Amino acid sequence: MAILALSLSVTGVVKADPLNDLVNSSQAVVDQLNIGYKTVAGLQYNANLGYMSDGTMADSAKISEAQRVAYNNALSAMADMQFYTAEDFLLDQGDIALTNMETAIDTFTEAATEIAVILEVTSMAEAAAESGTNTDAQTVAEFADANEASLTLQAETVTEYNDSLEDIEGYAAEAAAFIGIANDESSVAFFDQNAENANSSFVDEVQATYQASNKWVKLDFDNANWAAAVYFDGTGGLDLFKSSTAILTDGADQTFYTTSPSYVGYACFFYGTECE
């Protein structure tokens, strides 16, 4: 299967919006239809009673040629429109990945909270090491002995923690790829043009694939034997990567981190005490 990749800037297609024209022109016809039904009903009823109109009611209910043409033109224009575009489609794919990421974050939080109980013994051990006294060291030893069962890290918990980190990073990258490309006008115009060329609707005739190995998002079209792809590693111009240092710096300011036991401490997180 041939795959077309975005390599040059693509000029976005300017779209008209005939929706209001369709609303207004169709409503004009519907209004006449309503008058027509009411006129026929009234004429039928009164004819049986021996009453008649002044002979002008039919004209008032007729649909004019101008109304017919206006409606047909608006309908035709509407039929040619694509309101659900590549941007909408990509953002929806991003939302799916974000939902999966949040599920993985819930798993991480559960496992991380179980692991965070070691913060108490860590603080005690650090203080004892700093003081260098046998008394403090003995206090740590006795605490560890009394709480060894609850402080022991279970292999299952660590595995759950580690696996959730991989899931979060994977889903975060997938969401970022879809959302980042959706935010790029050239990429959106490229995908829109390919969907139009393939005569495929983003509603139900396009499939999206995020491929970390190729560093692209690929769209397959039901009505064509080729696909289109946009790289997100700088190939073709779009680079969505951010350094680990920058991401950690961003994370340091986020509520998820500043309310975590790693930040506020064991006592504050678990008991609401010793909070600064």
Side-chain angles (χ1 to χ4, degrees):
M1 173 184 291
I3 299 177
L4 305 179
L6 174 65
S7 58
L8 298 174
S9 177
V10 179
T11 302
V13 178
V14 177
K15 301 183 301 182
D17 182 357
L19 182 59
N20 286 334
D21 286 344
L22 181 60
V23 169
N24 294 331
S25 61
S26 64
Q27 188 60 56
V29 173
V30 168
D31 287 344
Q32 291 305 106
L33 187 65
N34 181 61
I35 295 173
Y37 271 116
K38 192 180 296 184
T39 297
V40 170
L43 292 174
Q44 179 188 43
Y45 174 77
N46 280 281
N48 281 278
L49 299 178
Y51 296 103
M52 68 183 74
S53 71
D54 62 1
T56 63
M57 294 189 67
D59 287 340
S60 297
K62 289 178 181 178
I63 297 171
S64 71
E65 177 64 8
Q67 289 172 326
R68 184 190 72 82
V69 171
Y71 165 74
N72 286 342
N73 287 343
L75 180 66
S76 179
M78 188 71 178
D80 291 335
M81 291 299 298
Q82 287 290 341
F83 288 92
Y84 186 70
T85 65
E87 181 181 2
D88 301 308
F89 178 74
L90 292 166
L91 289 174
D92 283 345
Q93 301 305 307
D95 283 342
I96 294 172
L98 288 175
T99 298
N100 291 332
M101 182 187 71
E102 291 300 328
T103 299
I105 288 174
D106 289 341
T107 301
F108 166 86
T109 301
E110 181 180 349
T113 301
E114 291 182 24
I115 295 171
V117 297
I118 73 170
L119 286 169
E120 184 175 20
V121 70
T122 300
S123 298
M124 293 177 63
E126 288 176 347
E130 185 176 345
S131 72
T133 66
N134 290 335
T135 300
D136 287 344
Q138 183 61 40
T139 299
V140 176
E142 291 176 358
F143 178 83
D145 180 58
N147 298 279
E148 185 174 3
S150 62
L151 293 173
T152 298
L153 287 179
Q154 302 300 320
E156 298 82 9
T157 302
V158 172
T159 297
E160 188 176 61
Y161 170 86
N162 292 338
D163 288 349
S164 69
L165 283 170
E166 291 191 7
D167 289 342
I168 291 165
E169 188 167 25
Y171 287 127
E174 181 178 357
F178 284 122
I179 294 171
I181 292 174
N183 291 336
D184 182 66
E185 291 184 4
S186 294
S187 299
V188 169
F190 173 72
F191 279 146
D192 277 334
Q193 187 61 60
N194 275 276
E196 182 177 342
N197 293 344
N199 193 30
S200 295
S201 168
F202 283 105
V203 174
D204 56 5
E205 295 176 329
V206 180
Q207 288 73 47
T209 304
Y210 160 77
Q211 294 183 345
S213 57
N214 291 327
K215 296 180 174 57
W216 70 18
V217 163
K218 178 170 68 75
L219 300 189
D220 291 282
F221 307 100
D222 287 356
N223 301 326
N225 61 353
W226 42 267
V230 170
Y231 290 91
F232 49 79
D233 64 346
T235 302
L238 181 63
D239 188 353
L240 300 179
F241 283 94
K242 202 170 186 178
S243 71
S244 298
T245 300
I247 290 175
L248 287 174
T249 299
D250 291 337
D253 295 327
Q254 304 307 306
T255 302
F256 184 81
Y257 174 69
T258 58
T259 58
S260 71
S262 292
Y263 185 86
V264 302
Y266 177 85
C268 181
F269 183 83
F270 286 99
Y271 301 114
T273 61
E274 301 179 27
C275 299
E276 296 181 0

